[in-house]
Amino acid sequence: MKGEQGMQRVLVKIAVVVVAVFAVTSGCALFEDERTAKGRKLYHHYCMHCHGESGRQQEGFNWERMPDPRPRDLSESASMSTFSDKEIFDTISRDMRDTSLQAVLDDENYFAVSTMPTFKYTLSEEELWAVVGYVRTLHGGSLTFDVDGRKAELESRFQAVTAEHDQAKQVMEEALEKQEAEEDDEDMDMEDEEDDLENYEEEEEEIVLPEEEAYEKVAEQFEAAKTALENFSKRPKISQISRPDLTVVEPERVTLQEKGKNLYFNKYGCNGCHSIGDVGGLVGPALDRAGFRLNDTWVYRWVRYPQGMKKHTRMPNLGLDDGDARAVTAYLETLRAPKPDKPIPPPE
Ligand code: HEC
Ligand code: HEC
């Protein structure tokens, strides 16, 4: 009898320990809603190396190697709770701007830290909100922004614009038909007249109808609403980046390289994740020898759309356009450090 009771007690103890260990290791994931759980996963993949698992300073393996300003403490409620959900959203999904320009530094509405990457071109809007929600939990808060309401708003906007679009299209088509019929009539009249070349050319001139202009406008709004709705649930996709012609006329090469260097440090903060010599982050490979190791066409296509070449890479798409990608590629070409004597130990 005694043995059996003892056994039961041991089993209960084991069960308690198992549940406790599970709750701790999963960070109490048992009590998380679906969106926060998604945000946690994304945070672990895209943010943790710099911000640390619990958002504290010095926690992420890259923190020590970051240039100033280093990532702030996301677990600190006093300062973090002064940001609205929307403000955090805007920070993580802003467009990168050149922080060597005074106008950018002076813009109070812009978060001008180049080494905090944007995720606008990497994640869907829904995923961005999930990350904001998870960041909130790091300082004991929760998301108050109405994400479902936002989706509904995008949907109803899309429906409204679709209706407007279809109507404007119909109006335009009717107007075009009418115009064509009138032109045919005029042509018939003209056949009776003498061959007047000048007059004929004038007739050929394209007349843009107000209905066509109105349609163009609505069509633009329609495309914008469609993209906004698509990007809400789907990650932004770019059609394949085609192979560029990277030939540079010699006197322009140096200017391009200098422009690329500035973009590397001051606009896209590549140094937050990559090192050159002893300086810079450790999230991505060191780029000291990029000029030897990497093919420029490959680099161009990689920096424009890393996800197109490696779907789940930790390197976000930073939104480089053709010109910026050319400049950055030209700069990386200049990185030709000699081979190290000793192999560099891999980061932890
Ligand atoms: C390459 C390192 C790096 C990565 C990756 C990174 N951050 Fe940051 N983050 C920074 C730096 C640097 C700052 C600027 C210093 C500061 O204010 O914390 C910053 C600032 C922030 C801030 C504070 C903004 C403010 O207004 O002060 C938030 C919130 C934030 N990051 C969230 C994120 C989230 C969420 C992710 C992942 C989706 C992420 N960060 C990924 C480096 C990084
Ligand atoms: C948030 C961190 C982060 C930022 C910011 C970042 N990278 Fe990366 N980068 C990575 C990671 C991680 C890899 C490794 C890719 C992989 O295999 O998934 C990488 C890979 C690369 C490679 C290939 C290197 C090799 O040896 O294979 C190049 C080139 C590169 N990045 C250039 C850039 C440039 C240029 C910028 C700025 C425009 C930049 N990166 C910004 C994280 C980052």
Side-chain angles (χ1 to χ4, degrees), residues 42-67 69-75 113-117 119 138 269-274 280-284 314-316:
L42 292 165
Y43 180 90
H44 280 206
H45 192 68
Y46 292 109
C47 322
M48 198 164 77
H49 25 279
C50 292
H51 285 285
E53 180 158 15
S54 60
R56 282 194 207 98
Q57 296 192 305
Q58 280 167 322
E59 231 180 26
F61 74 81
N62 199 44
W63 195 89
E64 206 62 63
R65 288 283 299 238
M66 300 272 312
R70 293 199 178 138
R72 71 155 72 227
D73 188 347
L74 299 181
S75 73
V113 181
S114 60
T115 48
M116 164 62 204
F119 293 89
L138 296 176
C270 316
N271 56 323
C273 290
H274 292 281
L282 300 171
V283 183
R314 284 187 155 83
M315 175 161 154

Side-chain angles (χ1 to χ4, degrees), residues 268 270 273-274 283-285 293-294 298 302-303 310 313 315-316 328:
Y268 297 107
C270 316
C273 290
H274 292 281
V283 183
R293 287 198 301 113
L294 307 169
W298 185 90
W302 172 261
V303 296
K310 192 169 175 185
T313 176
M315 175 161 154
V328 168

